[in-house]
Structures are given as C-alpha cells and as structure tokens.
Amino acid sequence: MAIATYCRTFRHLVSVLTLVIACAAEASPIACENVFATTITRPENTKYQLLWRDARTRDLQSHEIPDVASLKPELEQLQRSIFSKKSNSKTKLFFTDQTSAQANVERIPISNYVGRSNGSDVYSTTYYEKTTYRRGPLFIEKHEIKVHEGLPKQVLKELDKLSEEYGWDKGELRRRIFNDISNYGSVGEINNNHLWIAMDRANIAGKQLLDESLGDVLKFSLGQYERRNWTPDFIDQLIAKAFSALTKTDYVVVREATANNTPGKIVGSIGYTRSTYAQYRYFNKKTNRWEERLNDLDIRFLPSKSSPFSTKDLGYTTNLEVLPMEEFFGPHYELPRPGLVDYVHDGRSAIPPMVEDALRNYMHADTTKPFAIYTGQIFEPVKFAISKESGQRRVGYSAILLELFSSVFSSDRPAQFNAKAQRLYTYNTAEGVVMYKGMGFKDMGPEWSHVDAEGVQWFGLELTPQKLIETITNPVFMKGRVAEDFAKEFEASIARTLESQNQ
C-alpha cells in the first residue's frame, strides 16, 4: 500500500504507528522540500485549545449506581498504594530512565495564573518544558506543557528591563513587588500592572519558542510524505489542528547524535494528545434518575509527586475537551471513557465546597444519597513519523515505541490508574485495520464506522493498557520490529516499569 498516494489517506496522520507501513513506501524528498521549504508557523487566530463540547449526561445502569460498601475499600486500597509509592523511591523509576547522560531541562513560561490562599496571592506558571538526554546513538527530546507554583525567573529579567526603561534603578520593581507581597500579601495596583507587563513579555517569548518547536516537528512529520494530491487548504487544516491541540499534546523527538555529541537530524517523532476528565455519578433530583456527568480535568496540571486525584484539585466546568479523533468522526460520536474511583460520599459526611457547589448548582444532585467521582484519561498518538533516509530508522522506531509505552505507564501516576482508567484510540481505513490489530488494537464495531465527505470509510480502534503489555512483550513482536542492538534495553525498561507498577 502506498500511503502517500491519495489526499484522503493523510487524514489519519493523527493515528498511531501509521508510518510502520509508510517507512517502506517511496516518497520524493525533493517534492517534500518544495512544500516545506519555509518555516511552519501557527496560523492567525488559532487558539491553543482542543474542541470543546457541552458536557453530557447519561443514565446509569443498576450495576453502576454508587455502592459505598464496595467503593470505599477500593478507594482506601488506592490511597494506601499512593502513600507507599511516595515513600518508596524504587517505585519512582521513570520508564525512559536517563542513565546514559544527565538530562538538560529548559523551562520556558507561556502563561500565568494568580489565586488567593489565606489572604495572600498565590502564583503559578504554565511552562513549555523541553527535556533532552542521550540514549545510545540518539538524543531524545521531550516537549511537554507543565504547571509549577510561583513565577518564572524570566519575569525578574523583564522587571529589571522595565525598571531601566522607566529610568529607575535596575532592581527597583523587584523590590517594590517583593515588599508588597511581604507586607500585604498581594501586589498593589500600580506595581501589579508592571508585574503583568513583565509576565506578558516573558510569555510572548515563550509562546514563540513553543511555536517554533512544533513547526520543526510538523515540518519533519508531514515532510515524510509526497506532495501528490495535497492542497493548501488540507495542509493548513493539519497545521491548524496541531497548533490548536498544542497545550494538551506532549511531543517526543528522536535525533541522531553528531560527532560533537550534540542533537543532529530528526530520526522520528510522535505526540500524545490527551483528554483527562472527572466522572460524577449521582442522583439527579430534577430528572429523578441516577446519572453520570463528565467534566474536563487535566491531571498533568495537578501537583506532581502528590496524590494526583485529590478532590481539592477538582474544578468543575460545563464543557468536555475531546480528542481530534472525536472531532474527525463528528459531534454525535463520543469515545468511551474509563475511570478509577477518586472520591466516595455516603450521603451523610461533609462534602468539599467546590464539589458541593458543582453538584447542587449544575447537576441538581441529591446529596443525601451516595455519589462518587471517578477520574480517567484517553489519549490519541499523533504525528508519528520515522525518517526514510536515516540509518538509525529501526533504532529510532524502537525509541519511539519506548516513549509510547512510557506515556501509558508513567511512574507519576498510581499503577491502578494506568491499568484501569486509560485507553488509546485511533482510526484507519480497512487496509490499515490488520496492521493495527497486530499492535493489539481492537475494532470498536459498526457504531464506530464513519464515512467521510469523499466516501472513504474509517474504522475506530481502541487499545487497553493490558493488551498493550501483552503485545509489546511478545517475543515474536519484539523480534520483528525492534532493532537487535536496542532490544535488551527495550526489554529491561519494560521490566523496570512493570516491577514499579506492581509495587
């Protein structure tokens, strides 16, 4: 199958492992260079967000109605596991352990948030974080969006620049702002304006770097295909979708190591677009029935190395963020979302204020009855590409496969969550379904069959974490797809992760 033959086939660039076949197909490097000769940048008016839908409710089946007697022991077991995980350093091993070289981390601010706690302002910053480390003959770059408490050091530099622009001593604005926070717990109006100007400047510079990084990934991944049958509108749509999902997508870029021990040409890339959520299961007094309602929740934005699923961190919205796959299939499609119990109410105990507000004001819940909150995550691998020219293709593919596995079995999350509360989804035409089944994906059935505007039929596919383990640890699969000189490290990394998950 020549993947680069028809325009419609490019629509599943967001599918995982598409280029397992595409790597074998011949493409025209010259044609690709003509299309992607210029730097890819974020289209005007493209926002950093995925498609939002109104949150939906569904009726619960009898076996789904919250049962306090059975759910509380399950929740207590999970909490004991998290506590043990935090107190035992062995369980904190990352799957992509950086043993061959120390990682270099660049943290670049892109937005800020200020809240109030105990009468004082509390700042947090969203960063574009780029981590680079050596793995054998390759360099691995991880491009992630993370949130940390406090303001970035870049703001201090911008404050110093502002002070000098105003003709003041270089450290004047620093002193003013620190004095305000120390004496009053918040920044006065005039100094606060200066602070936000400094933060905006730092964030604009950060977003430009983030745009450039994604532009490089897109230029590489899209450039692995022939130009044939591409239209400017179609290319623009692919680029716009990638930028719109940017803050919800982590990217991994694999580069060759140069003779000077620096990152060289890109060998491969992959991204992971996530939709994380909370599931409220409760009795609706208005409709007089048991219901489940979904709420957007990004677990990556919760404090790291703490209980990731604490109700104190659960906000509530009336929207749900969806994957690109759901956008492609249409608004009447909604992917199944698994969940792990996070909070149980027996109908009598006190309820956290934020949760109570959501239940009473948005969901008309009867809080004298039991209710439960679950958390979960679905994600879609995107922009998977392997260079057709690099001599490190097989090793690069192996490295990408390691990253796919590590994204599912992260040591930052409880083992129960990784196994029970996640799903991978993708889609393909009939020709590709066999390939995906070889990876462990399962056809989702006729209800997830979609015919696009050009008359091409697409099939939804899903993969559970358990099935991923079974497939990726199969010796036959390992022998056929993983480079021999990389196989031992591959197997050792899987073994370390599974050991961590079982502790």
Side-chain angles (χ1 to χ4, degrees):
M1 170 186 174
I3 285 189
T5 301
Y6 297 106
C7 170
R8 62 174 183 265
T9 311
F10 292 112
R11 292 192 179 181
H12 76 307
L13 284 173
V14 293
S15 302
V16 62
L17 300 175
T18 300
L19 291 184
V20 173
I21 291 180
C23 287
E26 292 298 327
S28 169
I30 297 177
C32 292
E33 290 174 5
N34 291 336
V35 175
F36 300 104
T38 58
T39 302
I40 293 176
T41 58
R42 179 166 60 96
E44 293 184 8
N45 302 321
T46 298
K47 297 180 179 179
Y48 290 125
Q49 63 182 18
L50 295 181
L51 178 69
W52 288 88
R53 293 180 181 168
D54 291 338
R56 298 177 183 175
T57 59
R58 69 175 181 89
D59 292 348
L60 293 180
Q61 304 298 315
S62 58
H63 67 277
E64 296 176 314
I65 296 174
D67 179 2
V68 175
S70 63
L71 289 177
K72 275 201 169 182
E74 181 180 339
L75 181 58
E76 290 169 358
Q77 180 183 8
L78 173 62
Q79 291 170 338
R80 286 194 298 269
S81 171
I82 294 172
F83 178 80
S84 172
K85 193 176 185 69
K86 289 194 292 183
S87 62
N88 185 347
S89 61
K90 291 183 179 179
T91 65
K92 293 183 180 180
L93 283 172
F94 282 91
F95 178 74
T96 51
D97 67 310
Q98 300 153 12
T99 56
S100 53
Q102 185 174 0
N104 177 53
V105 180
E106 300 174 65
R107 190 175 289 173
I108 304 159
I110 58 174
S111 67
N112 310 100
Y113 173 79
V114 59
R116 297 284 292 180
S117 177
N118 299 323
S120 299
D121 289 342
V122 178
Y123 293 88
S124 62
T125 302
T126 301
Y127 292 91
Y128 157 47
E129 197 164 288
K130 178 182 176 182
T131 303
T132 306
Y133 61 93
R134 181 77 181 262
R135 179 189 283 280
L138 306 170
F139 273 96
I140 309 296
E141 294 176 353
K142 303 187 76 170
H143 302 259
E144 303 171 286
I145 304 298
K146 293 187 176 181
V147 173
H148 297 279
E149 294 180 356
L151 291 174
K153 61 183 180 181
Q154 289 89 338
V155 169
L156 298 177
K157 295 180 180 179
E158 294 298 336
L159 285 172
D160 291 344
K161 291 179 183 178
L162 274 177
S163 294
E164 293 180 331
E165 289 174 17
Y166 296 148
W168 300 335
D169 176 70
K170 182 178 180 180
E172 177 65 21
L173 280 176
R174 285 198 195 197
R175 288 191 292 271
R176 289 187 184 187
I177 289 169
F178 290 150
N179 285 338
D180 279 356
I181 293 176
S182 176
N183 294 329
Y184 311 111
S186 61
V187 182
E189 182 178 356
I190 295 177
N191 290 333
N192 190 55
N193 290 337
H194 298 319
L195 176 60
W196 279 99
I197 290 173
M199 289 192 294
D200 286 343
R201 288 183 177 183
N203 294 336
I204 289 172
K207 288 179 179 178
Q208 288 175 343
L209 288 173
L210 182 58
D211 281 359
E212 290 172 8
S213 295
L214 179 58
D216 289 343
V217 173
L218 291 175
K219 187 175 181 179
F220 167 76
S221 61
L222 302 183
Q224 298 307 304
Y225 296 83
E226 284 186 13
R227 182 186 179 186
R228 193 186 320 164
N229 290 323
W230 283 46
T231 66
D233 287 344
F234 182 72
I235 296 173
D236 289 345
Q237 288 175 16
L238 289 177
I239 294 172
K241 286 180 180 179
F243 276 99
S244 69
L246 189 51
T247 57
K248 291 281 187 170
T249 307
D250 294 340
Y251 282 93
V252 174
V253 177
V254 179
R255 295 179 181 269
E256 293 179 349
T258 67
N260 297 324
N261 194 34
T262 58
K265 293 182 179 180
I266 298 179
V267 176
S269 67
I270 194 170
Y272 315 105
T273 301
R274 305 169 188 267
S275 174
T276 53
Y277 46 85
Q279 299 165 322
Y280 291 77
R281 295 184 180 182
Y282 61 97
F283 185 81
N284 188 326
K285 292 190 294 186
K286 192 172 182 179
T287 61
N288 198 37
R289 64 191 183 195
W290 289 95
E291 295 177 345
E292 176 187 82
R293 188 176 181 91
L294 293 173
N295 165 39
D296 177 66
L297 172 70
D298 194 328
I299 60 174
R300 294 177 306 161
F301 282 24
L302 301 182
S304 180
K305 297 301 180 185
S306 64
S307 173
F309 313 112
S310 172
T311 51
K312 66 182 176 66
D313 295 308
L314 288 179
Y316 183 80
T317 69
T318 57
N319 296 320
L320 177 67
E321 204 160 28
V322 302
L323 292 180
M325 175 177 173
E326 289 176 296
E327 181 182 6
F328 174 79
F329 272 75
H332 55 292
Y333 288 92
E334 189 167 291
L335 287 166
R337 284 168 163 78
L340 181 71
V341 64
D342 175 46
Y343 179 82
V344 181
H345 177 65
D346 60 9
R348 298 185 299 274
S349 57
I351 307 172
M354 186 177 292
V355 175
E356 184 174 22
D357 176 67
L359 288 163
R360 291 185 184 278
N361 297 326
Y362 294 100
M363 294 181 276
H364 310 290
D366 183 349
T367 55
T368 66
K369 297 182 184 295
F371 69 83
I373 302 175
Y374 298 75
T375 55
Q377 174 173 261
I378 59 175
F379 64 92
E380 180 180 346
V382 300
K383 300 300 177 289
F384 179 71
I386 300 293
S387 173
K388 300 177 179 66
E389 300 175 342
S390 172
Q392 302 289 352
R393 281 174 52 190
R394 290 196 69 197
V395 178
Y397 171 65
S398 304
I400 290 293
L401 209 55
L402 284 172
E403 295 300 335
L404 173 63
F405 195 76
S406 70
S407 69
V408 177
F409 294 97
S410 170
S411 59
D412 276 340
R413 300 186 298 261
Q416 296 96 320
F417 179 88
N418 290 340
K420 296 180 180 179
Q422 298 189 109
R423 288 288 189 283
L424 286 81
Y425 292 104
T426 187
Y427 57 100
N428 209 314
T429 57
E431 295 87 350
V433 168
V434 174
M435 177 192 70
Y436 283 100
K437 287 184 177 180
M439 279 296 299
F441 279 87
K442 181 181 70 172
D443 191 325
M444 297 175 66
E447 64 274 18
W448 273 90
S449 175
H450 171 64
V451 178
D452 67 16
E454 297 177 10
V456 179
Q457 188 171 19
W458 299 85
F459 301 90
L461 302 163
E462 68 175 339
L463 178 63
T464 66
Q466 296 92 328
K467 187 63 177 177
L468 178 60
I469 291 177
E470 293 174 13
T471 303
I472 209 169
T473 56
N474 187 314
V476 176
F477 175 85
M478 190 80 68
K479 182 177 180 180
R481 291 173 174 82
V482 179
E484 292 181 6
D485 56 353
F486 207 68
K488 289 184 178 179
E489 182 177 358
F490 190 95
E491 292 171 342
S493 296
I494 292 175
R496 284 193 296 270
T497 298
L498 296 181
E499 180 183 0
S500 172
Q501 293 291 302
N502 293 330
Q503 292 182 10

